[in-house]
Amino acid sequence: MEKRANFGSKLGIILASAGSAVGLGNVWRFPTEVGSNGGAAFICIYVLCVLLLGIPLMVAEFVIGRHTHKNTADAYRQLAPGTPWVFQGYLGVFTSWFILCYYSVVSGWTLKYLFSAIAGKVTTVTDSAAYFVEFTSHPWAPIICMVVVMLLCHIVIVRGVQEGIERSSKLMMPLLLLIIAVLVVCSFSMPGSEDGLRFLLKPDFSKLTSSVILSAMGQSFFSLSIAMGCLCTYASYFTDDARLLKTAGSVALIDTTVAVMSGFIIFPAVFSVADVSPDAGPGLVFITLPTVFEMAFAHVPWIGWFFAMMFYLLLLLAALTSMMSIHEPTTAFLLEHFQISRRAATRIVTLSCIFVGVLCSLSFGPLSDVKFLFGMTFFDFFDFVSAKVFLPVGGFIISLFVGWKLDRQLVRDELTNQGTVKMHFFSVYIFILKWVAPLAIGLIFLNELGLFS
Ligand code: PHE
């Protein structure tokens, strides 16, 4: 049998995993949540969630993947054969496929905005809200964009773990970090940017309701790509000398830094333009920012053009590296479980996602009247079910699985690389997985279903 692929270096491991974590959630969703939930106070809670829940759960997925060196579904089958836990393996694979179907639609929008920014349209359009609606409701333009980003992702995945995922992450992630640094400097140099900084750095704890705290938890899970099968799948390609806790810490650090830096890019710019509101909701990136780019740089339009172009390139890179990580779990599953070639497995995933992605995309236009459960469109349905149902359910099961079911010595061996590295606070770690995480996730779940509001 052919030898199973693995990542070639520790840097590759960290950059690929960070590529999964750093995505639209960081640049798009995080600043929006910060904007509407009390600025720095939200950031403090978010960081606590990452440290206390995010990292432990990420490590739990790493343990499962690296120990078995199998795709997510077969990993659970190996660790708990014939038990209901196996369900989680399939759920992980399915969730990642499910997310890819709608994530690719928004990723397609970033491609369109990148081209519009290059052509100078984003910064000159008079009504950015109308521009956005006109594009997203168009019958085929957003579909073409979605198909193009899916094909870009396909090209990477078909090349395999080292030549595809690792190599492209090593190229794209440093570029992404460089763009962020350039944009932060640009944004800080704008007149009036101090107000944006004050907004981000001054905590307003009066806004911290229980539902805000639970949103911070939900956001940290989504941002770290927890319970979607991707961390477990990537970890199955980790080498035996990779240090799981250290890798999780580095990934969480990069992910959180990028999220906060995105806030630093967006808010000074937003505040330098007097009449746009910082809590503009999900339209922030596609509707508010184009106006901001145009107005903030009215005196030197080429800087606005450059800023907009770099920003949408950043968004596209972030989206692509995340898409790769949600493509791989299903591809790896098909490839290993059914013993087909990587080429065939990749093709099945790409084509099926494009097919469903078309429906999601059309739900902003011709299919906007087709409603599912609770009046949701296709897109809303995919977003809701994956991010608000599968994700908490998956996180809940994973924490119970590693906390209660897995052999304690197996977990310890993985965390200490068979006793060769030190691990402090092992019992605290297990305690978190056994009690804290399941309880917290249970609350997130109920909150997201709207039971506390
Ligand atoms: N973590 C990614 C983000 O922040 C999203 C993602 C979700 C990536 C699921 C992979 C899997 O946007």
Side-chain angles (χ1 to χ4, degrees):
M1 210 175 116
E2 211 182 310
K3 193 176 163 293
R4 196 169 189 275
N6 61 270
F7 287 119
S9 66
K10 287 190 185 154
L11 182 67
I13 288 179
I14 292 180
L15 290 182
S17 312
S20 169
V22 172
L24 296 170
N26 301 60
V27 191
W28 177 26
R29 214 170 132 189
F30 182 81
T32 310
E33 298 256 331
V34 174
S36 37
N37 291 326
F42 180 86
I43 301 185
C44 295
I45 301 295
Y46 177 83
V47 170
L48 275 181
C49 295
V50 168
L51 291 175
L52 290 178
L53 297 170
I55 295 183
L57 274 167
M58 194 189 281
V59 171
E61 289 206 52
F62 283 172
V63 166
I64 298 168
R66 210 249 319 248
H67 180 78
T68 55
H69 290 297
K70 290 213 161 79
N71 67 79
T72 306
D74 290 336
Y76 282 81
R77 278 160 43 110
Q78 175 181 327
L79 291 170
T83 65
W85 296 106
V86 171
F87 163 80
Q88 173 54 31
Y90 290 100
L91 183 68
V93 171
F94 185 66
T95 307
S96 60
W97 177 85
F98 210 74
I99 293 190
L100 186 56
C101 295
Y102 78 91
Y103 201 84
S104 58
V105 174
V106 184
S107 307
W109 298 350
T110 69
L111 181 71
K112 149 79 181 176
Y113 270 72
L114 172 62
F115 280 116
S116 299
I118 294 174
K121 275 206 207 117
V122 168
T123 39
T124 48
V125 56
T126 39
D127 184 347
S128 55
Y131 184 73
F132 176 70
V133 173
E134 195 186 323
F135 165 66
T136 51
S137 61
H138 194 277
W140 47 261
I143 293 183
I144 295 195
C145 294
M146 183 267 289
V147 171
V148 173
V149 286
M150 272 306 289
L151 291 180
L152 288 175
C153 175
H154 180 97
I155 293 172
V156 173
I157 296 295
V158 94
R159 288 170 181 248
V161 178
Q162 276 196 21
E163 282 300 302
I165 299 174
E166 182 167 358
R167 217 159 149 202
S168 57
S169 303
K170 278 185 170 164
L171 199 85
M172 290 202 263
M173 288 309 285
L175 182 62
L176 184 146
L177 297 175
L178 180 73
I179 296 178
I180 292 200
V182 172
L183 289 180
V184 169
V185 173
C186 271
S187 192
F188 278 5
S189 59
M190 284 197 292
S193 63
E194 309 81 38
D195 291 336
L197 280 185
R198 206 167 302 129
F199 174 76
L200 265 178
L201 296 178
K202 197 171 128 277
D204 175 2
F205 283 100
S206 68
K207 287 224 171 144
L208 284 189
T209 58
S210 60
S211 122
V212 168
I213 296 174
L214 295 174
S215 309
M217 274 193 228
Q219 167 66 14
S220 67
F221 282 18
F222 183 81
S223 188
L224 294 175
S225 313
I226 285 167
M228 326 251 188
C230 17
L231 296 175
C232 188
T233 305
Y234 273 11
S236 72
Y237 305 128
F238 285 7
T239 42
D240 288 335
D241 61 346
R243 297 182 41 182
L244 302 189
L245 201 57
K246 214 169 150 192
T247 307
S250 313
V251 172
L253 182 69
I254 297 178
D255 187 63
T256 308
T257 309
V258 171
V260 174
M261 287 299 140
S262 301
F264 280 164
I265 292 169
I266 291 177
F267 288 112
V270 168
F271 275 85
S272 72
V273 177
D275 47 352
V276 284
S277 146
D279 52 357
L284 183 68
V285 162
F286 294 108
I287 298 177
T288 313
L289 282 184
T291 317
V292 168
F293 293 144
E294 184 182 354
M295 291 167 73
F297 299 104
H299 50 299
V300 249
W302 75 266
I303 301 188
W305 169 80
F306 175 76
F307 197 107
M309 192 171 70
M310 283 296 160
F311 182 80
Y312 290 109
L313 177 61
L314 163 73
L315 215 52
L316 179 65
L317 288 176
L320 270 177
T321 49
S322 291
M323 280 176 68
M324 282 153 38
S325 78
I326 14 185
H327 197 298
E328 182 62 20
T330 322
T331 306
F333 168 67
L334 294 176
L335 185 159
E336 292 168 2
H337 199 82
F338 298 105
Q339 307 266 318
I340 55 177
S341 67
R342 175 167 277 274
R343 181 175 292 274
T346 315
R347 210 173 276 164
I348 296 174
V349 178
T350 303
L351 288 177
S352 58
C353 280
I354 288 181
F355 179 73
V356 182
V358 166
L359 296 178
C360 290
S361 182
L362 288 176
S363 67
F364 289 90
L367 294 187
S368 60
D369 289 333
V370 179
K371 300 278 162 70
F372 260 102
L373 260 46
F374 308 116
M376 287 187 271
T377 62
F378 273 108
F379 183 94
D380 295 341
F381 175 77
F382 273 75
D383 180 18
F384 178 83
V385 174
S386 50
K388 310 228 155 151
V389 181
F390 289 168
L391 186 151
V393 170
F396 187 76
I397 302 179
I398 292 169
S399 52
L400 293 182
F401 182 64
V402 179
W404 293 93
K405 162 82 184 146
L406 264 195
D407 175 36
R408 196 62 39 86
Q409 191 55 39
L410 182 158
V411 180
R412 191 190 283 273
D413 283 346
E414 281 303 324
L415 287 174
T416 59
N417 288 358
Q418 318 300 328
T420 55
V421 288
K422 277 218 173 63
M423 156 96 194
H424 304 289
F425 308 115
F426 181 71
S427 42
V428 178
Y429 175 67
I430 295 292
F431 179 78
I432 291 181
L433 289 184
K434 268 185 154 168
W435 301 103
V436 185
L439 200 76
I441 298 170
L443 291 176
I444 302 181
F445 187 46
L446 298 179
N447 176 57
E448 292 195 331
L449 293 183
L451 283 146
F452 293 146
S453 43

